[in-house]
Amino acid sequence: MQNFETVEITTDFLIIGSGMAGSGACVEAGHWAKQHNVKVTVVDKAAMERSGAVAMGLSAINQYIGDNTPIDYLSYVQQDLMGLCRDDLVMDIARHVNGTVHMYEGFGLPIWKDDQGNYVHEGRWQLMINGESYKAIVAEAGKNAIGMDNIIERVFVVQLLMDKNDKKRVAGAIGFSVREPKIYVFKFKACLVCAGGAVHVFRPRSTGEGMGRAWYPPWNSGSSSYLTTMAGAEMSSQEVIFVPARFKDGYGPVGAWFLLFKAEATSASGRNYMAEGLSEGGELHNWPPYGKVKPIPTCLRNHLMMIEMYEKGDGPILMHTDKAIARLTEEEPDPKKRKRKLKELESEAWEDFLDMTISQAVLWASKDVFPEQGPSEIMPSEPYFIGSHSGASGAWVSGPEDLQSDESKNEYFWGYNRMTTIKGLFAAGDAVGNSSHKFSSGSFTEGRIAAKAAVKFCVENPDMPAIDDAEVEKLKEKILQPLKTYEEHSKYTTLGAVKKRYDLPVEEVNPNFITPKMAMFRLNKIMDEYVAGWGSQYKCSATTLNIALDLLQLLKEDLHKLAARNLHELLRCWENVHRVLIAEAHTRHKLFREETRWPGYYYRTDFPKIDEEKWGDVFVNSVYDAEKDEFKVFTRPKIKIVEIKEVVGM
Ligand code: SFD
Ligand code: AMP
């Protein structure tokens, strides 16, 4: 085994993850840090220019408030999440997000404009962009703000380090380079965790040659949740996964089709199941008050789709791209311009995918699909953990002081905006729970909010906390153990001869170790079959969840035997360790909430209805004790800071 050099970095404020929230944090921290002589450093497992969920680009900015008010946005988010979100966090982002979008324009992001120079809206809150280079543009601004010397790329952060004199205060972080034999030890006064959501916890629909294709980026492996949970931070809504409806196999998004092109989706036999669900006596009336609002909440749109597919057997679900294009072409009053209009619509349809889900465009091309000639299948995908979209999982954080009511101030505010329950540990983007629908622009905004507060924290808490050197030494050994395990046992196989002859990767089966891929497959199978993945038609019960907890325990024991052939696999090992903790937290939260609040995301078959009285005004929260390996699960109140009457409109 190679010798690993230790690189020590001392800074004031460390940003962990340079995705959308991390880039926003760099832009804001850069500004305040210069004024207060605070050193800011950012670390990412990848290259900032194309890291995170926006690596491939996006075709829309999904949160822009325009002339609406933050309360309008809160109404929308609250009803989409079936009543549960943090009013203070959602409104805080909503009141600042316009500024972020205007900043983006200044960075050079091409936002679509109409003939009058106004932004082109996809829906009420969404703006169309030419966003293939969205991440590169935003990352460049972040890099300029804090300076190239303060950017550390291709270093995977494994764990946070606590103050040796105060276990409720963060003091450092440890990770390793994914390119060179180097361990990184960071020491700081404050840090911001914005390492994205979690993908490949549940079994993906893509297998075999499609393996690795997912909607959300496979390199977001639950690190945000792992880092904050292991540090002892209170976590929230870990049961609220997101199941996106997507074009089949390529995972192309549906938003532009539903909102911009106003396309209809139907069951295989042609029924408009959403209109039927909304109509008098339709399924949505079984989910009051949320089934009657507009837009139909995301989970309920899935729910209607799942009834067609699984209960009626009237799948697959079809998106009628052809009819939408024909209708929009017909709407062109000048018949001479219709041909041009058709060409424009066709290219917009392709660009929607080419800007953010290139694989869907490739799949359409390879299957000879012409969106103007026929419909395409859409499907509910595997569940993802993503606090920034239509899910809600993440850390329980302090909100802004000025948005609190007398009642909420005691529950939702403890000094620094977006600080977790651990001193000096901040979170943003997918890492924060209960402030859903922030998307790319809102995540960047939340990064800005958190970074400003974190710089303030550094100024007001100038003493550098101390890390425990003995703990660091132990962790170094633990981090590199998979390389050692492989070296010790790789020759032990009865299949060596086969390997020689066929060059098969026989090390994958070895009684002494488990490869990261195998560990992930095992996790995926457990979650899919017992915790309401697509393979179990999104259904679970106390019985299946308890089976999952037993199996996860066995998997956790085997994680000590993970083996890595090289640095790349070492990364894969630790990604799976991160995934397993969020899997367990999720399972425990799901078990705790005895109702079905988000049908279409998951069903508790033993509690198949929504239970407003018992669960309508509480969040499920948890704290993990890493020393004892124990979760404590409990509730926190949903406090309505703003009374919302009625909400309509897309
Ligand atoms: O509509 C470590 N999203 C969309 N947002 C929009 O505004 N418009 C759209 O059109 C969107 N669509 C969409 C979206 C995402 C994807 C994948 C597709 C389509 C195909 C959502 C946004 O992208 C999302 O909300 C934000 O990006 C969330 O921001 P953030 O910062 O929370 O996550 P990130 O950007 O993925 O960044 C995470 C970073 O952390 C790094 N990282 N670094 C060090 N150590 C570790 N252990 C780490 N683990 C992770 C990552 O490398 C990354 O840089 S639509 O179709 O839904
Ligand atoms: P998506 O492409 O599904 O990620 O959606 C992009 C944006 O459009 C998100 O803000 C979604 O909540 C919203 N959206 C997608 N489909 C619909 C729909 N049928 N009705 C209302 N909003 C939608």
Side-chain angles (χ1 to χ4, degrees), residues 8-15 29-30 32-42 146-152 186-191 454-455 458-459 464:
E8 244 186 57
I9 309 254
T10 303
T11 185
D12 291 315
F13 173 37
L14 181 70
I15 299 167
W32 298 105
K34 269 183 210 120
Q35 291 185 17
H36 296 281
N37 203 20
V38 166
K39 184 171 163 60
V40 182
T41 307
V42 64
I146 66 165
M148 290 306 287
D149 292 347
N150 298 314
I151 296 159
I152 298 165
F186 299 91
K187 297 177 181 176
F188 48 71
K189 294 173 190 157
C191 77
V455 171
C458 293
V459 174
M464 191 62 115

Side-chain angles (χ1 to χ4, degrees), residues 382-558:
E382 59 280 356
Y384 298 91
F385 295 90
I386 159 166
S388 69
H389 203 291
S390 314
S393 52
W396 181 249
V397 294
S398 173
E401 186 172 16
D402 65 320
L403 287 183
Q404 306 301 336
S405 63
D406 289 345
E407 195 191 354
S408 72
K409 200 162 179 178
N410 291 329
E411 290 284 344
Y412 297 170
F413 173 70
W414 50 95
Y416 293 93
N417 204 349
R418 266 53 176 196
M419 191 168 83
T420 66
T421 53
I422 296 296
K423 202 172 162 192
L425 171 54
F426 293 75
D430 282 332
V432 170
N434 307 315
S435 61
S436 320
H437 288 274
K438 49 197 159 191
F439 304 101
S440 60
S441 47
S443 295
F444 185 95
T445 306
E446 201 172 40
R448 290 174 56 202
I449 294 170
K452 186 177 175 187
V455 171
K456 185 166 183 267
F457 177 95
C458 293
V459 174
E460 292 173 356
N461 297 269
D463 294 338
M464 191 62 115
I467 59 172
D468 181 343
D469 292 331
E471 190 203 344
V472 170
E473 287 312 309
K474 268 197 223 149
L475 276 170
K476 277 189 202 166
E477 224 172 275
K478 190 172 155 187
I479 287 171
L480 301 179
Q481 183 60 44
L483 291 168
K484 230 169 149 185
T485 303
Y486 176 72
E487 201 170 87
E488 275 168 24
H489 299 291
S490 63
K491 292 191 178 69
Y492 185 92
T493 172
T494 52
L495 295 174
V498 179
K499 183 185 183 225
K500 247 192 191 157
R501 232 181 308 143
Y502 302 111
D503 199 25
L504 290 173
V506 289
E507 299 99 322
E508 290 197 352
V509 181
N510 190 308
N512 299 298
F513 63 63
I514 180 165
T515 65
K517 205 177 204 173
M518 294 299 172
M520 191 180 78
F521 287 158
R522 174 128 56 107
L523 173 68
N524 289 173
K525 186 170 162 64
I526 297 168
M527 300 305 284
D528 187 50
E529 292 182 342
Y530 297 112
V531 195
W534 64 271
S536 49
Q537 299 185 350
Y538 309 92
K539 294 186 175 85
C540 64
S541 65
T543 310
T544 66
L545 295 170
N546 278 311
I547 295 172
L549 287 173
D550 287 344
L551 293 172
L552 285 172
Q553 195 51 40
L554 295 177
L555 175 57
K556 272 161 70 178
E557 284 166 22
D558 284 351

Side-chain angles (χ1 to χ4, degrees), residues 146-165:
I146 66 165
M148 290 306 287
D149 292 347
N150 298 314
I151 296 159
I152 298 165
E153 296 180 324
R154 305 201 187 279
V155 169
F156 182 81
V157 176
V158 175
Q159 200 171 310
L160 297 178
L161 306 168
M162 308 313 284
D163 182 352
K164 120 170 139 178
N165 305 308

Side-chain angles (χ1 to χ4, degrees), residues 616-629:
D617 55 4
V618 287
F619 298 106
V620 173
N621 280 18
S622 63
V623 173
Y624 179 64
D625 182 333
E627 267 171 34
K628 294 189 190 140
D629 186 21

Side-chain angles (χ1 to χ4, degrees), residues 59-63 73 76 80 122-123 125-126 215 242 244-246 252-259 263 274 294-298 301 319 352 356 389-390 437 439 649-650:
S59 62
I61 290 174
N62 278 351
Q63 190 186 3
Y73 201 69
Y76 163 62
D80 196 76
E122 179 184 85
W125 313 106
Q126 300 86 357
W215 166 67
F242 172 39
R246 289 292 176 263
V254 297
W257 284 100
F258 277 131
L259 302 181
M274 281 208 246
K294 246 188 137 191
I296 304 168
T298 309
R301 296 201 298 272
M319 176 75 89
D352 182 43
M356 70 174 158
H389 203 291
S390 314
H437 288 274
F439 304 101
M650 304 287 266

